[in-house]
Amino acid sequence: MIEYIRGELTELTPALATVEAAGVGYALNISLNTYSAVQGRKEVKLYVYEAIREDAYVLYGFYNKKERELFQLLISVSGVGAGTARMVLSSMSVSELCSAISMGNERAMKGIKGIGLKTAQRIIVDLRDKIVALGIADEIPAGGTLATPINNAVKDEAVAALTMLGFSPAPTQKVVVQILQAQPDLPVEQVVKLALKQIK
């Protein structure tokens, strides 16, 4: 079992980080929270969750243990897979998600792509006590991110990230352009977060 990977961050998108350690490049699926935390760094340490299926061997990377613990709790809920769990952690910070769960905020949970009312209720019921017991609710969100000037690179990276998360490129691009027109200084991760709430 891989606990963490420490090495050089050779490639980074809002959905994927490639870390080279001992001559091997590891592709790690990441959330927007982890993307924000490692952006601009050369050396990183990412905690790993291994998803081993018959048809694939997928690695998920997390900036800290609390995000990984929350990811593991989310996928323990019936109807929540790894992709949905990553979507949840890309839509909210660890502290925001813990707050929504502990306060029973179904509306906030339901606003996330792939989370319906029943799934939101299951997440809240199943995890409310567990996040307190594990101390995850004490997590403090990471600091803000640097603003990125509006350009096609921001738009293209946001669209690419959303496409990797399973959205169709055409409607995704439309939403991303609208967001950038309204708020031209948003960094990629914020554009993606807003788009996740708007794309149906």
Side-chain angles (χ1 to χ4, degrees):
M1 175 180 166
I2 301 172
E3 170 64 11
Y4 63 82
I5 295 172
R6 178 189 281 135
E8 182 186 354
L9 183 63
T10 57
E11 290 181 39
L12 180 67
T13 72
L16 194 74
T18 302
V19 181
E20 183 177 329
V24 179
Y26 296 91
L28 299 151
N29 289 281
I30 59 171
S31 71
L32 283 174
N33 291 319
T34 291
Y35 173 79
S36 298
V38 302
Q39 200 176 20
R41 297 183 180 219
K42 289 184 178 179
E43 297 284 325
V44 296
K45 176 181 178 181
L46 294 179
Y47 292 92
V48 175
Y49 173 79
E50 300 170 81
I52 302 170
R53 305 194 305 265
E54 287 183 10
D55 60 336
Y57 177 61
V58 184
L59 298 177
Y60 291 86
F62 305 93
Y63 181 62
N64 57 37
K65 286 186 176 182
K66 288 189 174 181
E67 189 185 21
R68 181 176 65 178
E69 286 172 358
L70 197 48
F71 176 86
Q72 290 174 300
L73 287 176
L74 284 166
I75 61 175
S76 73
V77 177
S78 175
V80 179
T84 302
R86 180 170 69 158
M87 187 79 73
V88 172
L89 289 168
S90 291
S91 301
M92 294 180 167
S93 69
V94 170
S95 59
E96 288 168 345
L97 182 55
C98 287
S99 175
I101 292 171
S102 61
M103 293 172 65
N105 191 342
E106 294 173 3
R107 187 176 175 186
M109 298 297 302
K110 221 171 54 165
I112 300 168
K113 166 81 175 173
I115 302 290
L117 178 59
K118 287 186 178 178
T119 304
Q121 290 171 338
R122 272 200 302 269
I123 290 172
I124 290 165
V125 170
D126 289 2
L127 303 187
R128 185 179 273 163
D129 293 336
K130 292 178 182 176
I131 60 170
V132 175
L134 285 171
I136 299 175
D138 301 331
E139 177 68 6
I140 298 169
T145 54
L146 295 172
T148 306
I150 169 130
N151 55 35
N152 282 327
V154 174
K155 180 194 75 177
D156 292 344
E157 200 170 346
V159 171
L162 289 158
T163 303
M164 285 180 72
L165 288 170
F167 296 100
S168 300
T172 296
Q173 180 154 318
K174 186 178 177 184
V175 170
V176 168
V177 168
Q178 287 173 346
I179 291 167
L180 284 170
Q181 284 172 342
Q183 302 178 73
D185 293 329
L186 283 182
V188 174
E189 62 269 24
Q190 293 296 332
V191 173
V192 175
K193 275 190 179 183
L194 286 173
L196 286 171
K197 294 174 182 176
Q198 295 180 30
I199 300 171
K200 299 298 178 190

